[in-house]
């Protein structure tokens, strides 16, 4: 039988890092008391009008440029209607017809067969990036059989990044989202903390035989961790294949990933395609952006957004940072991935390198094998490490100057993890771990051992 070809496409909602919401002056803050950050517009009181947040537009332009998109100098806002308790207006303002950015690409890398030394780079096409409002949050109180609505999140600015169906497994989807997350965090356009709902992923998944049209797809909604994304996609691919091989059919439905059970479960079917009755948003004019060529001479710069100005100020993206780490320190490309993937690890590494005489290639071993595995074992972030870059550099300097052996250095590190505030040198002295450099002293010790064990020495000589 011909093999099955899985097809995976992602839609990612990234919360824009901004002090206020997309169309109102309400503050944006995670875990604030319910309904404490709601303006009249967010609550959809009659007569309230949207005012577009400049910061959100700049963040979307910046993200579009970083993902190699074409930025539309004219984009439009639309109303998408659906009726749900946490959407007070009965519609969401989004960009359905002409979004702010289109036709981009994202390159990401993953290891083959879990071997870090064999990495392959792939590219996923970005169909579009659109600006839209977030909805509120329904909180289900099972004990009282009621649902409460918190509108703090209603109207918070989102960028929806729509990827083409260019991926084929959970590992690829996870690697692409991790790279996007790093890019967003580098740009500062989104903090992209998945645990706080700042990056939510919907995965569209189908399977088909070679040469045949794409199969019926299901959508797994609101996946909130990269690990769960990989699991959800792989589970869903397997489920669809088994269903089809047993003569069943795949329903065009929305599913959720149950992380405790490790499987996807049906939420609602999509049989009657939801009619969102899209219409142009009457209260917002088209969003007009400029570049250096089209910027009118007499225009007030505070009033417009200049794409070229944003482009010139883009920071180094993760891919460039990795190249620089490899070039500057002579480390392996796969090591540069690990350094960047762990929040704060690249800075930690560079800080150690600056403070030690040890070659960067040797330092990286201590960072990845000793520091990182300890942190992972104890579920600590780099920022929570009990051993600072200063202490590790101190220890590596003792090793480099041959004042201690590498076995002793590991013992000292084990003591440093306890976080008792001792310096490496103090631990070395306390535990008498110094290497002896003095030839005479060494000879005296050896002589004393021989003198104290005359019988054994005689036996060895005779033996």
């Amino acid at each position: 039988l011909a093999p099955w070809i899985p097809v995976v496409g992602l839609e990612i909602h990234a919360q824009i890092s901004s002090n206020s919401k997309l169309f109102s002056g309400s503050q944006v803050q995670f875990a604030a008391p319910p309904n404490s950050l709601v303006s009249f517009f967010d609550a959809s009181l009659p007569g309230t009008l949207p005012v577009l947040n400049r910061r959100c537009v700049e963040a979307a332009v910046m993200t579009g440029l970083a993902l190699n998109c074409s930025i539309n100098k004219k984009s439009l806002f639309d109303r998408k209607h659906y009726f749900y308790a946490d959407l007070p207006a009965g519609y969401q303002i989004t960009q359905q017809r002409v979004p702010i950015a289109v036709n981009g690409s994202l390159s990401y890398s993953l290891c083959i067969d879990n071997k870090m030394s064999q990495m392959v780079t792939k590219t996923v096409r970005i169909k579009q990036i659109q600006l839209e409002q977030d909805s509120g949050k329904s909180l289900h109180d099972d004990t009282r059989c009621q649902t409460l609505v918190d509108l703090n999140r209603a109207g918070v600015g989102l960028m929806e990044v729509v990827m083409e169906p260019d991926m084929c497994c959970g590992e690829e989807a996870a690697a692409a989202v991790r790279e996007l997350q790093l890019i967003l965090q580098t740009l500062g356009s989104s903090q992209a903390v998945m645990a706080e709902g700042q990056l939510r992923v919907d995965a569209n998944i189908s399977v088909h035989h070679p040469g045949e049209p794409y199969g019926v797809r299901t959508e797994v909604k609101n996946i909130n961790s990269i690990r769960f994304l990989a699991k959800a996609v792989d589970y869903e691919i397997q489920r669809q294949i088994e269903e089809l091989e047993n003569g069943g059919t795949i329903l065009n439905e929305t599913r959720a990933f149950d992380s405790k059970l490790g499987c996807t479960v049906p939420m609602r079917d999509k049989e009657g395609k939801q009619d969102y009755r899209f219409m142009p948003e009457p209260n917002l004019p088209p969003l007009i952006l400029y570049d250096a060529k089209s910027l009118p001479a007499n225009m007030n710069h505070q009033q417009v957004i200049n794409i070229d100005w944003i482009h010139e100020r883009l920071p180094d993206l993760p891919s460039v940072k990795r190249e620089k780490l490899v070039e500057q320190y002579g480390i392996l490309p796969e090591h540069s991935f690990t350094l960047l993937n762990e929040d704060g690890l690249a800075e930690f590494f560079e800080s150690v390198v600056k403070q030690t005489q040890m070659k960067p290639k040797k330092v990286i071993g201590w960072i990845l094998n000793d520091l990182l595995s300890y942190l992972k074992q104890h579920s600590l972030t780099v920022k929570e490490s009990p051993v600072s870059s200063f202490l590790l550099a101190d220890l590596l300097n003792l090793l480099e100057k041959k004042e201690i052996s590498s076995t002793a250095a590991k013992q000292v590190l084990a003591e440093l993890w306890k976080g008792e505030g001792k310096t490496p040198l103090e631990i070395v002295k306390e535990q008498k771990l110094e290497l002896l450099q003095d030839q005479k002293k060494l000879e005296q010790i050896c002589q004393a051992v021989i003198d104290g064990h005359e019988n054994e020495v005689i036996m060895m000589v005779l033996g």
Side-chain angles (χ1 to χ4, degrees):
L1 270 177
W4 291 98
I5 298 174
V7 177
V8 181
L10 303 177
E11 292 166 16
I12 298 145
H13 287 93
Q15 183 182 314
I16 298 169
S17 179
S18 163
N19 294 328
S20 53
K21 296 182 181 179
L22 184 56
F23 298 118
S24 82
S26 295
Q27 207 190 332
V28 175
Q29 189 194 327
F30 180 68
N35 296 310
S36 60
L37 307 173
V38 187
S39 71
F40 292 154
F41 175 77
D42 306 328
S44 195
L45 295 192
T48 54
L49 293 169
V51 178
L52 182 56
N53 178 338
R54 179 193 176 102
R55 157 72 191 154
C56 292
V57 177
E58 287 175 340
V61 171
M62 200 190 286
T63 305
L65 291 170
L67 295 174
N68 311 303
C69 293
S70 304
I71 307 295
N72 281 325
K73 286 194 194 150
K74 178 182 179 182
S75 60
L76 306 172
F77 288 99
D78 304 279
R79 286 186 179 183
K80 175 183 182 178
H81 294 81
Y82 59 95
F83 296 95
Y84 207 68
D86 56 22
L87 193 74
Y91 61 82
Q92 173 197 41
I93 302 178
T94 180
Q95 292 191 307
Q96 190 241 355
R97 293 165 299 158
V98 186
I100 194 162
V102 292
N103 301 333
S105 64
L106 168 71
S107 292
Y108 61 95
S109 297
L110 63 161
C111 9
I112 305 171
D113 304 331
N114 284 334
K115 290 192 187 115
M116 273 308 278
S117 53
Q118 288 178 287
M119 296 199 84
V120 52
T121 299
K122 301 201 168 193
T123 301
V124 54
R125 290 167 299 153
I126 307 282
K127 185 183 178 192
Q128 64 189 59
I129 298 174
Q130 64 202 44
L131 279 167
E132 61 186 33
Q133 299 167 293
D134 208 344
S135 58
K137 204 171 184 183
S138 295
L139 306 161
H140 305 292
D141 183 345
D142 292 336
T143 49
R144 295 188 200 161
C145 297
Q146 61 182 12
T147 292
L148 303 168
V149 175
D150 177 9
L151 293 181
N152 281 349
R153 209 177 62 187
V156 166
L158 298 178
M159 294 177 282
E160 182 178 356
V161 180
V162 182
M163 295 181 173
E164 297 284 6
D166 293 342
M167 291 163 281
C168 68
C169 63
E171 196 187 357
E172 285 188 10
V177 170
R178 178 63 183 129
E179 188 67 8
L180 176 66
Q181 186 182 36
L182 279 175
I183 290 170
L184 294 170
Q185 289 168 342
T186 303
L187 297 171
S189 58
S190 171
Q191 290 167 2
V193 179
M194 294 187 91
E196 294 185 9
Q198 293 166 354
L199 200 68
R200 311 195 284 275
V201 184
D202 301 338
N204 290 297
I205 301 152
S206 68
V207 297
H208 65 280
H209 285 305
E212 289 179 5
Y214 284 1
V216 175
R217 70 177 192 200
T218 60
E219 183 178 21
V220 184
K221 292 286 277 188
N222 282 333
I223 305 165
N224 61 0
S225 108
I226 288 175
R227 207 161 48 88
F228 293 163
L229 171 62
K231 286 183 171 171
V233 168
D234 288 338
Y235 174 86
E236 187 57 20
I237 289 168
Q238 226 22 65
R239 184 192 73 81
Q240 291 187 15
I241 291 171
E242 283 169 20
E243 184 71 43
L244 292 166
E245 287 186 345
N246 292 330
T249 53
I250 301 301
L251 299 176
N252 177 215
E253 63 184 353
T254 300
R255 298 176 74 88
F257 179 66
D258 185 319
S259 54
K260 289 189 181 72
L261 299 175
C263 65
T264 65
V265 291
M267 277 166 70
R268 55 181 182 266
D269 70 19
K270 286 198 169 181
E271 288 309 312
K273 187 81 177 113
Q274 171 91 40
D275 178 13
Y276 290 120
R277 289 184 298 112
F278 282 103
M279 61 173 265
E281 167 54 62
N283 295 323
L284 284 164
L287 171 57
I288 307 292
L289 306 175
Y290 297 88
D291 57 17
K293 282 196 202 83
S294 65
L295 195 66
N298 56 356
M299 187 69 82
N300 177 351
H301 285 275
Q302 300 304 307
Q303 298 294 307
V304 298
I305 286 174
N306 180 341
I307 300 165
D308 289 337
W309 190 88
I310 293 175
H311 199 252
E312 283 160 20
R313 282 157 184 76
L314 283 182
D316 276 352
L317 294 178
S319 53
V320 176
K321 282 189 192 164
R322 290 189 198 104
E323 281 168 20
K324 285 188 174 173
L325 285 169
V326 170
E327 218 171 282
Q328 197 176 340
Y329 301 111
I331 60 174
L332 296 170
E334 55 267 28
H335 290 163
S336 73
F337 273 88
T338 314
L339 283 183
L340 248 66
N341 275 350
E342 298 299 325
D343 192 24
L345 194 61
E347 293 77 6
F348 193 100
F349 164 71
E350 292 196 272
S351 176
V352 173
V353 168
K354 280 194 189 87
Q355 301 173 70
T356 173
Q357 288 105 31
M358 187 179 272
K359 286 199 166 63
K361 278 184 179 176
K362 277 172 80 180
V363 173
I364 196 87
W366 284 87
I367 295 275
L368 300 187
N369 302 332
D370 298 273
L371 178 86
L372 197 55
S373 38
Y374 177 89
L375 295 178
K376 287 245 161 94
Q377 211 178 325
H378 294 81
S379 303
L380 294 171
T381 64
V382 176
K383 291 178 177 66
E384 293 165 339
S385 170
V387 177
S388 65
S389 57
F390 173 76
L391 283 176
L392 185 59
D394 242 14
L395 172 62
L396 298 185
N397 278 334
L398 292 176
L399 181 59
E400 200 57 20
K401 291 184 204 150
K402 299 204 164 39
E403 289 182 24
I404 53 171
S405 67
S406 64
T407 314
K410 301 247 185 228
Q411 275 174 265
V412 175
L413 189 57
E415 283 297 311
L416 288 174
W417 287 132
K418 294 176 185 171
E420 290 167 355
K422 293 175 190 165
T423 67
L425 195 56
E426 284 167 356
I427 296 168
V428 167
K429 294 242 185 297
E430 257 175 38
Q431 304 203 4
K432 302 195 169 51
L433 294 170
E434 307 98 320
L435 281 177
L436 284 175
Q437 306 288 357
D438 186 333
Q439 184 84 21
K440 277 224 169 85
K441 228 178 193 176
L442 272 172
E443 283 172 10
Q444 283 169 359
I445 291 170
C446 294
Q447 195 57 53
V449 171
I450 292 169
D451 294 347
H453 297 80
E454 276 182 21
N455 293 340
E456 284 86 341
V457 172
I458 290 167
M459 292 300 288
M460 275 179 73
V461 172
L462 292 176

